[in-house]
Amino acid sequence: MATLLSHLQRRPPLVRQAIKIRRRRVRDLQDPPAHSAQEIEPPSHHLSPEERALLYEEALYTVLHRLGQPEPSHVREASELLLYLQEAFHMEPEEHRQMLQRVQKLEKPIFCLKATVKQAKGILGKDVSGFSDPYCLLGIEQGVSVHGGSPGSRRRQKAVVRHTIPEEQTHRTQVIEQTLNPVWEETFILEFEDISSSSFHLDMWDMDTVESVRQKLGELTDLHGLRRIFKEVRKDKGQDDFLGNVVVRLQDLRCREDHWYPLEPCTETYPDRGQCHLQFQLIHKRRAPTASRSQPSYTVHLHLLQQLVSHEVTRHQAGSTSWDGSLSPQAATILFLHATQKDLSDFHQSMAQWLAYSRLYQSLEFPSSCLLHPITSIEYQWIQGRLKGEQLEELAASFSSLLAYGLSLIRKFRSVFPLSVADSPARLQSLLRVLVQMCKMKAFGELCPDSAPLPRLVTETLRTGTTEWFHLKQQHHQPMVQGLLEAGKALLSLVQDVVGDLLQCRHTWNKIFQNTLKVDLFSMAFVELQWLVAKRVQDHTAAVAGSPVSPEMGESLFQLYVSLKELYQLRPGPTDRDGVLALDGFHRWFQPAVPSWLQKTYSVALARVQRAVQMDELVPLGELTKHSTSAVDLSTCFAQISHTARQLDWPDPEEAFMITVKFVEDTCRLALVYCSLIKARARELSAGQKDQSQAANMLCVVVNDMEQLRLVIGKLPAQLAWEALEQRVGAVLEQGQLQNTLHAQLQGALAGLGHEIRTGVRTLAQQLEVGIATHIQKLVGVKESVLPEDAILPLMKFLEVKLCYMNTNLVQENFSSLLTLLWTHTLTVLMEAAASQRSCPLASSRLQIALQNLEICFYAEGCGLPPAALHTDDFQALQRDLELQAASSRELIRKYFCSRIQRQAETTSEELGAVTVKASYRASEQKLRVELLSASSLLPLDSNAWCLLSHA
């Protein structure tokens, strides 16, 4: 047997070409080719022409001398198998014809039936004890055709084997004493010439021993046993009893059979005689091909398997498909026939399959799960002594070779099993399972005793592969132009690749290695990569620190900081790693660049604000969105500032507080700058407008934009996580410092925005106040002939149009503020008009009706001002005043006396004393008669402490 080195030195052309194919596939995954690969030519087998011819002769001989019925999944026609062999061995038609003729002239093999008598059950009990001492006679009857596969067509005989088959061709099993379920497990080789006229016979007998009547009576248990004694007395001494037989036509057998056959009786006395378990295999002896005569059966079968599997793989590659490890029906049939005819054991077949497939897997891509079946079979049947020294060396070399190759794939699993291919995780997991199963085998432990434990080998391989992958990525990102800025961009791309790889390891690969080998890939990869990354980032930041930080360099450093922060957040827990990490405290490397980051953030935001205002046409975005584009851009700008602050998330509490203060200060400054810019933009756009309504519309949009800005500013505490910051800095800042700093800044900005909004609303209100005052003056001066309801109609129409317009163009908060201002102004104008028209009851009546309608208008069915805002003190005073001015003299007198009576009724004390009167009214005379009766507790007014009463 050749050594492993010799195998590698004479690696077949198919293997060499397959290695190129695998390498090309890996390279294509990294850098896809611009054009499709050329068609693969069928490679030749590794055998020499002479060895190939001998192997082809062996295969043809196997097909031509096929025995038995085909398996359901096998090919039945010999012509189809011969054509397949011609293709598999790449034989020209003429060469194939000559070889076929030569093989047909070779001497036929000796056909044999390998019969194994395993056991029987439920046989007859012939002895007095109720048991039997069974044994079997078996042989092949030749030259007699048995129809139907049973002895029913011929006269039933007891001693077919003993009397019909020559004694030298008769075989006998051992005698199993006192049982009805004997177990033999004996194998016999029975030769035959013509399968069509041969049948297998098995006769089962009960061995009769010469015993005395006294011994038999001692075993007697029932009357049935007594009848057996009488029968024994009548028959000859030592004559065996017939238990049944089995007859099988050989032409009905498959190459391998394993069945329970019923024992046939010779009479109908006891038709049910039990069953016998038999195994059959049709094999050859003295095969004529040179390979069979000169080489071990196992070696020939291994070469044939390699040749056919090579053809299977080549055929799939030619069809642009990958081989799934399953053989075609033609290949499976030929290999089955060869192994059966050569009587190759299952163990040697599994070993041949393992050697062929394990070598093939190292050169071509196909499912590694195909290796599990031969591994399992070898482990199940492993007995070291059944293999020769050369076979042991070959098996040990295959184990070592596959282990080394598997570890090489694991080392480069990121490129060999890319996640861009859907089945990559499954293929890697299958490979790991094969390696685990192989290393657990007794055969592996005995043949490769010096091999380290697989988890340790895989861990070291993964660590080495991770370092190699990092260096490859570093070379890939190496900039063409040398410079700090270009180096920073390359380092940023490298860190992002590391983060992406760790995410893949944690989400996908770690589960596979953890479940299969208990290897924590993610923790190992993180520890290795963070040391490599930290060294390069420290070198880069140290080089940058020696020169001023430009805006471009500051942006590059910030992106690097964010990526490094994302990498650091992936770190495993303390229980999953040992010691400190190289990335601990990495933020200090970027501390000199923080001021430039803050300045850059403000500068970019300011430029965006200026650009947004310059492009704003002060037109509402829609019916439901009443602010303009600049407000949206400003919200996005502030959101970006908050996002930058969250990205920064500086770890040192005190410095984090100062950074947050800077962010809040810049945000509030931008808000005030925006107010100034948007007002200037409104003046610029309205300067050329002759339509005052268009200017008012722009002013509405400006006010709405400011209101939207106030809402955005109000979210700063949540966006910048002030509450969490307060908990972090509680130990380093004085009590209330955060409240006095951050909240003071925010409240100042909100107050400034509120003032700007109120100013804008006041401007809008002033434009309407003039019209309201004019309509109220016209209301007072309308002719007396005009009804009050008609007189106030122009005022109500004016308010309806203007307020509807404002409601459409203002947000609810600003519209409510506008209504409040207009209501206060309207009450003031009405009070002035009422004061000037005290002597005119008609005007006062019109003003009273106007006040009632204005109240309804400003309330707007609950959509305007609430009643509490409408019924102010001025409103109530004006309402009372107008009621009195509009009333007649008689009504005023009535109101006066009613008021006096109510006040008198409400008076409970007698500070001035009490008077008793009697009053009566005479309707006919229309006179009121009042009679003074008495008085009490009057205040003394004279010097003598009395008073003199009189009445008129």
Side-chain angles (χ1 to χ4, degrees):
M1 183 65 63
T3 63
L4 176 62
L5 179 60
S6 63
H7 279 297
L8 295 176
Q9 289 175 348
R10 56 185 182 90
R11 175 170 283 173
L14 172 63
V15 174
R16 291 197 297 268
Q17 183 173 356
I19 292 176
K20 295 179 181 179
I21 294 172
R22 181 183 284 271
R23 290 174 179 171
R24 185 168 65 248
R25 289 182 180 176
V26 173
R27 187 170 60 251
D28 291 347
L29 290 173
Q30 301 173 350
D31 188 11
H35 55 83
S36 60
Q38 297 180 355
E39 192 176 294
I40 301 173
E41 297 182 359
S44 60
H45 198 257
H46 67 282
L47 299 175
S48 64
E50 294 78 11
E51 293 174 332
R52 175 169 161 269
L54 293 179
L55 188 61
Y56 190 58
E57 178 187 61
E58 178 77 14
L60 294 178
Y61 191 86
T62 299
V63 174
L64 291 178
H65 297 288
R66 176 179 188 173
L67 292 175
Q69 296 294 326
E71 298 289 332
S73 60
H74 287 176
V75 176
R76 181 179 296 270
E77 298 297 331
S79 59
E80 185 176 349
L81 298 178
L82 294 175
L83 180 60
Y84 175 81
L85 285 174
Q86 181 182 350
E87 296 176 356
F89 282 81
H90 312 296
M91 287 290 182
E92 297 295 333
E94 180 61 26
E95 186 180 6
H96 168 73
R97 186 184 62 80
Q98 293 177 2
M99 288 287 294
L100 184 59
Q101 291 178 354
R102 186 166 69 250
V103 172
Q104 288 173 342
K105 296 178 181 180
L106 293 177
E107 182 181 357
K108 292 183 178 181
I110 297 177
F111 300 134
C112 300
L113 176 67
K114 182 179 180 182
T116 301
V117 183
K118 299 184 71 64
Q119 58 183 320
K121 62 182 179 180
I123 65 174
L124 294 179
K126 290 292 187 177
D127 294 342
V128 176
S129 61
F131 295 98
S132 295
D133 302 324
Y135 69 94
C136 298
L137 294 176
L138 60 153
I140 291 181
E141 184 180 15
Q142 304 187 60
V144 178
S145 177
V146 179
H147 302 284
S150 66
S153 59
R154 58 181 291 171
R155 183 176 61 86
R156 292 181 175 179
Q157 306 177 52
K158 290 185 178 181
V160 175
V161 177
R162 183 175 295 174
H163 296 161
T164 305
I165 301 175
E167 184 177 354
E168 65 274 9
Q169 299 178 12
T170 301
H171 302 270
R172 176 173 175 162
T173 66
Q174 295 180 357
V175 178
I176 309 299
E177 297 180 352
Q178 294 298 295
T179 181
L180 298 180
N181 301 294
V183 177
W184 286 285
E185 295 291 347
E186 295 186 40
T187 301
F188 306 91
I189 305 297
L190 311 177
E191 297 181 2
F192 62 91
E193 295 181 358
D194 187 2
I195 193 172
S196 62
S197 61
S198 301
S199 59
F200 169 81
H201 288 262
L202 179 143
D203 297 341
M204 189 177 297
W205 297 87
D206 172 39
M207 173 65 73
D208 182 49
T209 57
V210 179
E211 295 179 295
S212 65
V213 176
R214 179 177 297 177
Q215 289 176 331
K216 294 183 178 180
L217 287 175
E219 299 175 359
L220 183 61
T221 58
D222 53 15
L223 294 177
H224 183 66
L226 184 60
R227 286 196 297 269
R228 289 178 180 171
I229 292 177
F230 292 149
K231 184 176 179 181
E232 291 285 341
V233 173
R234 291 195 299 269
K235 74 176 184 179
D236 297 334
K237 299 300 181 180
Q239 183 178 351
D240 297 342
D241 290 325
F242 180 72
L243 298 178
N245 66 358
V246 175
V247 180
V248 180
R249 293 193 309 175
L250 297 190
Q251 64 180 3
D252 294 335
L253 291 176
R254 294 176 181 170
C255 291
R256 291 182 179 179
E257 292 280 6
D258 189 336
H259 287 297
W260 284 89
Y261 294 91
L263 291 170
E264 298 289 344
C266 63
T267 66
E268 299 299 333
T269 305
Y270 299 104
D272 186 6
R273 293 176 173 263
Q275 295 178 309
C276 185
H277 187 190
L278 300 175
Q279 284 184 347
F280 297 115
Q281 181 177 340
L282 296 171
I283 64 175
H284 290 173
K285 289 172 60 176
R286 298 182 185 176
R287 289 166 62 91
T290 306
S292 292
R293 290 185 283 107
S294 61
Q295 299 179 17
S297 300
Y298 160 77
T299 304
V300 178
H301 187 75
L302 174 59
H303 291 168
L304 181 60
L305 176 61
Q306 290 174 336
Q307 182 67 34
L308 297 187
V309 171
S310 300
H311 173 67
E312 293 287 320
V313 176
T314 304
R315 186 171 62 173
H316 280 81
Q317 289 178 348
S320 300
T321 59
S322 58
W323 185 54
D324 60 359
S326 60
L327 296 173
S328 64
Q330 296 86 352
T333 302
I334 294 171
L335 291 172
F336 176 79
L337 291 176
H338 187 264
T340 304
Q341 293 173 7
K342 301 280 286 185
D343 193 16
L344 200 63
S345 66
D346 292 340
F347 175 78
H348 283 88
Q349 291 184 56
S350 299
M351 184 172 169
Q353 187 179 8
W354 161 256
L355 293 175
Y357 280 42
S358 62
R359 293 172 186 172
L360 184 65
Y361 181 74
Q362 300 176 45
S363 56
L364 297 176
E365 292 187 22
F366 68 90
S368 56
S369 57
C370 299
L371 300 171
L372 287 175
H373 174 70
I375 285 179
T376 305
S377 299
I378 293 174
E379 176 69 4
Y380 181 72
Q381 305 175 75
W382 173 250
I383 299 176
Q384 186 174 2
R386 71 193 305 174
L387 294 179
K388 299 179 181 179
E390 294 180 351
Q391 294 175 339
L392 291 175
E393 291 180 5
E394 190 175 19
L395 186 58
S398 70
F399 288 155
S400 300
S401 177
L402 183 66
L403 178 59
Y405 181 73
L407 292 176
S408 69
L409 295 183
I410 294 172
R411 190 178 73 251
K412 301 179 179 180
F413 76 92
R414 294 173 175 85
S415 57
V416 177
F417 304 100
L419 286 179
S420 56
V421 180
D423 63 339
S424 289
R427 291 192 295 120
L428 175 60
Q429 187 172 19
S430 177
L431 170 62
L432 293 178
R433 287 177 177 174
V434 169
L435 295 179
V436 169
Q437 191 68 23
M438 182 185 72
C439 294
K440 287 168 52 179
M441 295 172 61
K442 292 181 292 185
F444 182 87
E446 295 175 6
L447 299 179
C448 304
D450 297 332
S451 177
L454 182 61
R456 187 196 307 170
L457 292 175
V458 171
T459 301
E460 294 299 327
T461 300
L462 289 174
R463 184 175 289 108
T464 302
T466 300
T467 304
E468 292 176 353
W469 174 85
F470 179 84
H471 290 304
L472 287 175
K473 285 295 181 180
Q474 186 179 14
Q475 293 177 5
H476 177 73
H477 293 297
Q478 192 70 24
M480 299 295 294
V481 179
Q482 297 299 325
L484 287 178
L485 185 60
E486 290 74 14
K489 294 179 179 179
L491 185 56
L492 173 62
S493 300
L494 179 62
V495 174
Q496 291 174 345
D497 284 347
V498 169
V499 172
D501 179 73
L502 288 175
L503 289 174
Q504 291 180 355
C505 288
R506 186 171 66 179
H507 296 155
T508 303
W509 303 119
N510 198 62
K511 298 177 182 177
I512 297 175
F513 285 96
Q514 188 72 35
N515 295 337
T516 308
L517 291 165
K518 304 302 180 185
V519 172
D520 191 353
L521 166 67
F522 173 73
S523 298
M524 181 277 301
F526 180 86
V527 172
E528 289 297 318
L529 292 174
Q530 64 95 24
W531 281 104
L532 296 170
V533 168
K535 178 64 171 62
R536 284 147 186 84
V537 174
Q538 280 183 298
D539 293 343
H540 179 70
T541 53
V544 173
S547 58
V549 180
S550 63
E552 295 80 7
M553 181 59 70
E555 177 65 19
S556 176
L557 288 175
F558 182 76
Q559 295 300 326
L560 181 60
Y561 170 81
V562 172
S563 297
L564 210 61
K565 180 169 169 284
E566 184 180 0
L567 171 62
Y568 187 69
Q569 289 174 345
L570 294 176
R571 66 190 183 278
T575 58
D576 299 330
R577 56 183 172 87
D578 299 328
V580 297
L581 297 175
L583 288 179
D584 290 340
F586 73 92
H587 63 281
R588 298 187 183 91
W589 308 339
F590 299 88
Q591 197 167 19
V594 172
S596 66
W597 294 348
L598 300 179
Q599 183 59 38
K600 176 68 176 298
T601 302
Y602 176 77
S603 301
V604 171
L606 178 62
R608 289 179 178 178
V609 170
Q610 294 172 342
R611 184 168 58 253
V613 173
Q614 189 63 33
M615 298 176 63
D616 197 349
E617 297 297 330
L618 296 181
V619 177
L621 293 176
E623 295 182 0
L624 301 178
T625 306
K626 299 179 181 180
H627 48 266
S628 61
T629 57
S630 62
V632 178
D633 295 339
L634 191 63
S635 300
T636 305
C637 179
F638 286 173
Q640 183 61 41
I641 294 177
S642 301
H643 177 67
T644 302
R646 290 192 300 270
Q647 283 182 311
L648 188 58
D649 190 21
W650 199 255
D652 293 338
E654 191 171 359
E655 296 177 3
F657 172 73
M658 299 305 299
I659 292 173
T660 304
V661 170
K662 177 62 175 174
F663 276 123
V664 175
E665 179 183 350
D666 291 344
T667 304
C668 296
R669 188 192 313 171
L670 287 173
L672 298 179
V673 169
Y674 174 78
C675 292
S676 176
L677 293 176
I678 199 68
K679 289 190 297 183
R681 179 62 176 171
R683 290 192 296 268
E684 177 186 349
L685 293 177
S686 60
Q689 297 287 343
K690 298 181 179 180
D691 188 0
Q692 293 299 322
S693 62
Q694 187 67 22
N697 189 14
M698 291 183 184
L699 184 57
C700 290
V701 174
V702 169
V703 173
N704 293 337
D705 288 343
M706 293 179 181
E707 183 65 34
Q708 178 67 19
L709 177 58
R710 183 166 64 176
L711 294 177
V712 173
I713 292 295
K715 298 177 182 179
L716 274 180
Q719 292 178 342
L720 297 181
W722 287 8
E723 184 176 352
L725 178 63
E726 187 173 6
Q727 295 177 355
R728 291 174 55 193
V729 303
V732 297
L733 294 182
E734 297 180 0
Q735 185 71 21
Q737 185 174 354
L738 185 142
Q739 184 77 21
N740 296 333
T741 304
L742 295 180
H743 289 276
Q745 286 182 339
L746 180 62
Q747 294 303 321
L750 293 176
L753 287 174
H755 174 72
E756 295 290 346
I757 293 171
R758 289 191 299 273
T759 302
V761 173
R762 167 58 62 185
T763 304
L764 290 173
Q766 290 174 353
Q767 296 178 0
L768 299 180
E769 288 172 356
V770 176
I772 293 174
T774 301
H775 282 85
I776 291 176
Q777 292 298 327
K778 291 180 179 180
L779 171 65
V780 174
V782 175
K783 298 179 180 179
E784 295 182 0
S785 59
V786 179
L787 296 175
E789 291 78 5
D790 296 335
I792 65 172
L793 189 60
L795 173 61
M796 301 310 298
K797 287 184 176 180
F798 172 78
L799 287 176
E800 181 181 2
V801 172
K802 295 300 182 179
L803 293 182
C804 181
Y805 173 80
M806 292 299 173
N807 186 32
T808 303
N809 291 275
L810 288 177
V811 296
Q812 184 61 41
E813 294 81 0
N814 295 333
F815 180 67
S816 299
S817 300
L818 177 65
L819 288 180
T820 302
L821 293 175
L822 291 178
W823 179 246
T824 302
H825 172 75
T826 301
L827 292 178
T828 302
V829 174
L830 287 175
M831 292 174 66
E832 294 175 355
S836 64
Q837 299 294 329
R838 289 184 179 277
S839 60
C840 181
L842 179 61
S844 299
S845 176
R846 290 176 176 175
L847 291 175
Q848 182 184 16
I849 296 175
L851 179 63
Q852 295 173 353
N853 284 272
L854 287 172
E855 178 187 4
I856 296 173
C857 176
F858 278 83
Y859 179 68
E861 298 180 353
C863 298
L865 295 177
L870 291 171
H871 300 158
T872 61
D873 294 340
D874 291 343
F875 170 80
Q876 294 176 2
L878 177 62
Q879 190 178 38
R880 292 192 301 268
D881 192 19
L882 290 177
E883 287 180 357
L884 294 176
Q885 291 185 34
S888 62
S889 298
R890 188 180 184 85
E891 182 66 20
L892 288 175
I893 295 172
R894 187 187 70 79
K895 286 180 176 294
Y896 172 75
F897 281 110
C898 287
S899 175
R900 294 294 302 273
I901 292 173
Q902 184 176 359
R903 286 177 57 191
Q904 185 174 352
E906 294 175 352
T907 302
T908 56
S909 62
E910 299 179 355
E911 297 177 356
L912 300 178
V915 178
T916 303
V917 297
K918 180 180 178 181
S920 62
Y921 177 72
R922 296 179 180 179
S924 59
E925 298 177 1
Q926 294 185 352
K927 291 183 178 180
L928 176 67
R929 181 180 177 85
V930 180
E931 183 178 359
L932 180 62
L933 300 179
S934 63
S936 63
S937 302
L938 299 178
L939 292 176
L941 299 178
D942 295 343
S943 59
N944 57 3
W946 298 94
C947 63
L948 180 64
L949 296 179
S950 65
H951 70 278

